[in-house]
Amino acid sequence: MSLRDRLRSSTQVNGHAAVAAARTGGIENRAYQELKNQIYQVLMDRIDLESLQRLSQDQIRRELQALVERLLEEESAVLNDIERKTLVRDIQNEMLGFGPLEELLADPSVSDILVNSHKQVYVERRGRLELTDVVFFDDAHLLKIIDKIVSRVGRRIDESSPMVDARLPDGSRVNAIIPPLAIDGPCMSIRRFSAVPLKMDDLIGHRSLTAEMAEILQGLGKAKINIVISGGTGSGKTTMLNVLSGYISHSERIVTIEDAAELQLQQPHVVRLETRPANIEGKGEVSQRALVKNALRMRPDRIILGEVRGGEALDMLQAMNTGHEGSMATIHANTPRDALTRLENMVSMAAASLPTKAVRQQISSAVGVVVQIGRLTDGKRKVLSILEITGMEGDIITTQEIFTFKQTGTDQSGAIIGHFSATGIRPRFLERLRAFGIAVPDTLFDPTRQYH
């Protein structure tokens, strides 16, 4: 079917344009997708891509708008102004952005975008998953968008390398996996980051923690106490790491190491390092462990690891023990004790000859505090525990919990009911906080005070 026939046949829905039917309530049907795809193909035949590269984004958008409108006029398409604007916008997004994803990326309430197939896209809003009306034309369309995303950061995805971690220009983290590993077609998940990084006041406002807990965490960041942030997937570990890093002095040199750069540090003296996967010949891989070793030669005051998941745990602990105080990292674990066990296992993988007691001594002397983050069943994220590591007793790492969140029930809407409270234990790190001029009142550790 020609473009003229497509445009004419697509206008015979309820006596008006198919675009109107297709876009009602944000729904894109197959007819609209085919119409948009055919116009896009005609544009690609007519446009001089080399000439476009010399224009600014705004100029390109104006040129595309003029071309689409001219094409619609040539084909005598019966579309009203709203429909034309919708079609022009979608074509612009296809040419300049990430196609159907642009609408979701422009929505500040969306925290995660989960593309399960070309015809099924979920988002997370306020901790809840929702099915959207966004669809792609077919698997090839989705694969083209994925390739556009990963190629911008020098990564690739194909049958020989069907998994990839990447990032969007705003720092949002992207993971994609394609056939033959993904049975039902290409899949992609995008972990969004707000344009304006969250501050501690925002977390307090969201009731993720109390002002008293925030005061302690702020002191830990300023007093150069090594911190490990523990939590499950999507619990807010990276957000908390960003917030705590905000208390680092602007006079310090910071080196960050990540698989896909996503930290949003505000300090002026920051060096960002990112791992590199192997090339098509299986060579050229640069691991987090190699970057940690290299970072030690870069005269850092603090080293921040986006996530510890392998042998780099040993080098991180050694860095924390050799003058790089105040370093931070995140780790996947359900409890603070599990986080210490995972650290021990990862160090053992890197240095199998080290005895268990020596590994635990490394951990107990390097890590000062474990901050446990959790996403509750109602979708809300909270600081579940602030745990201090106090040393060793025999072969066991000793700890003491300073603050905790206790869940007491759920209301009729499914929201979690609970409260924050101190355990009544005065932490040993108070002496270090005072040495840095940070005064902490003893009332903060009163166990009789509960915060809902």
Side-chain angles (χ1 to χ4, degrees):
M1 185 182 291
S2 69
L3 179 58
R4 182 184 295 275
D5 293 336
R6 178 76 68 192
L7 289 167
R8 286 177 176 172
S9 65
S10 67
T11 61
Q12 298 172 0
V13 178
N14 296 329
H16 218 301
V19 180
R23 299 295 293 176
T24 301
I27 301 173
E28 290 193 359
N29 62 19
R30 185 73 181 177
Y32 177 78
Q33 286 287 340
E34 291 178 354
L35 169 63
K36 184 178 71 175
N37 189 55
Q38 195 155 350
I39 292 177
Y40 175 78
Q41 295 301 328
V42 173
L43 281 175
M44 291 300 292
D45 292 337
R46 293 192 179 187
I47 287 175
D48 182 354
L49 295 178
E50 290 187 6
S51 298
L52 280 184
Q53 290 177 356
R54 295 192 290 268
L55 302 177
S56 67
Q57 291 281 317
D58 289 339
Q59 289 174 320
I60 296 175
R61 285 189 176 274
R62 288 194 294 269
E63 288 292 330
L64 287 174
Q65 179 179 351
L67 286 169
V68 172
E69 290 178 347
R70 188 185 310 155
L71 185 58
L72 293 176
E73 289 294 336
E74 290 175 3
E75 304 298 338
S76 303
V78 184
L79 304 175
N80 62 34
D81 286 343
I82 295 177
E83 295 156 3
R84 285 174 181 268
K85 288 179 181 177
T86 298
L87 194 57
V88 168
R89 183 199 64 197
D90 288 350
I91 292 293
Q92 289 173 332
N93 289 342
E94 200 68 45
M95 297 286 289
L96 300 175
F98 303 123
L101 295 178
E102 285 294 326
E103 287 185 55
L104 302 178
L105 292 171
D107 186 347
S109 68
V110 172
S111 56
D112 286 283
I113 302 172
L114 307 171
V115 182
N116 295 340
S117 67
H118 76 268
K119 55 187 176 181
Q120 187 185 69
V121 180
Y122 280 84
V123 297
E124 181 186 288
R125 287 188 176 94
R126 295 171 289 276
R128 301 283 189 176
L129 288 177
E130 303 173 7
L131 179 63
T132 72
D133 300 317
V134 172
V135 295
F136 296 82
F137 184 70
D138 53 21
D139 283 348
H141 183 202
L142 173 55
L143 188 57
K144 187 184 77 172
I145 298 298
I146 292 174
D147 188 62
K148 184 185 288 189
I149 291 172
V150 303
S151 62
R152 290 191 176 189
V153 291
R155 303 285 171 99
R156 63 181 180 84
I157 188 164
D158 50 41
E159 284 192 7
S160 63
S161 181
M163 296 185 294
V164 68
D165 284 314
R167 65 179 183 278
L168 296 178
D170 65 357
S172 297
R173 187 172 63 196
V174 179
N175 175 270
I177 182 168
I178 65 172
L181 301 186
I183 298 172
D184 299 321
C187 301
M188 177 169 55
S189 61
I190 301 175
R191 178 67 53 80
R192 294 288 310 285
F193 289 101
S194 57
V196 180
L198 291 176
K199 300 284 195 285
M200 188 65 83
D201 289 342
D202 298 314
L203 299 185
I204 296 172
H206 294 153
R207 297 185 177 180
S208 296
L209 75 170
T210 67
E212 288 72 17
M213 295 167 71
E215 186 175 345
I216 291 296
L217 292 177
Q218 179 178 346
L220 295 175
K222 291 182 177 179
K224 296 187 176 184
I225 293 176
N226 298 323
I227 301 173
V228 169
I229 300 168
S230 167
T233 300
S235 58
K237 300 185 298 297
T238 303
T239 299
M240 177 59 72
L241 185 58
N242 268 320
V243 170
L244 292 182
S245 68
Y247 299 118
I248 298 175
S249 169
H250 283 221
S251 64
E252 296 185 60
R253 175 175 170 85
I254 307 167
V255 176
T256 69
I257 300 168
E258 303 170 83
D259 271 338
E262 54 184 326
L263 291 172
Q264 299 169 295
L265 273 63
Q266 305 303 307
Q267 287 79 2
H269 200 166
V270 178
V271 178
R272 304 169 72 205
L273 305 180
E274 186 178 57
T275 61
R276 187 178 70 183
N279 60 21
I280 195 168
E281 291 85 17
K283 300 178 180 179
E285 179 183 8
V286 180
S287 66
Q288 278 204 119
R289 186 171 190 189
L291 290 179
V292 172
K293 289 180 177 178
N294 188 77
L296 295 175
R297 306 184 186 103
M298 298 173 67
R299 198 242 170 251
D301 291 308
R302 305 202 197 199
I303 297 175
I304 297 181
L305 260 69
E307 183 184 340
V308 183
R309 58 163 64 93
E312 68 272 7
L314 174 60
D315 302 282
M316 179 197 73
L317 294 177
Q318 291 176 338
M320 289 178 169
N321 275 323
T322 56
H324 306 288
E325 296 176 322
S327 294
M328 304 176 188
T330 69
I331 188 171
H332 272 86
N334 293 326
T335 68
R337 180 57 69 174
D338 287 346
L340 298 179
T341 302
R342 281 210 68 206
L343 269 178
E344 181 182 332
N345 291 338
M346 288 186 284
V347 171
S348 298
M349 287 189 294
S353 60
L354 272 178
T356 300
K357 185 173 183 178
V359 173
R360 292 176 180 174
Q361 285 175 335
Q362 282 262 32
I363 294 172
S364 65
S365 59
V367 181
V369 170
V370 178
V371 179
Q372 183 69 35
I373 314 288
R375 183 171 66 170
L376 306 183
T377 54
D378 61 358
K380 295 179 181 176
R381 296 168 172 87
K382 294 187 184 292
V383 176
L384 302 180
S385 174
I386 298 178
L387 187 87
E388 180 183 28
I389 297 176
T390 57
M392 293 276 293
E393 284 188 8
D395 292 341
I396 305 299
I397 298 174
T398 56
T399 63
Q400 54 187 20
E401 193 169 44
I402 311 303
F403 288 96
T404 185
F405 175 80
K406 294 182 180 178
Q407 179 178 337
T408 56
T410 57
D411 63 17
Q412 294 180 346
S413 65
I416 298 297
I417 301 173
H419 61 266
F420 296 99
S421 65
T423 60
I425 298 173
R426 293 180 73 258
R428 296 186 181 183
F429 58 66
L430 282 183
E431 294 299 324
R432 185 174 178 87
L433 264 60
R434 292 194 179 102
F436 277 78
I438 303 167
V440 178
D442 289 339
T443 54
L444 259 62
F445 309 105
D446 183 357
T448 62
R449 299 170 64 183
Q450 296 183 356
Y451 307 91
H452 296 273

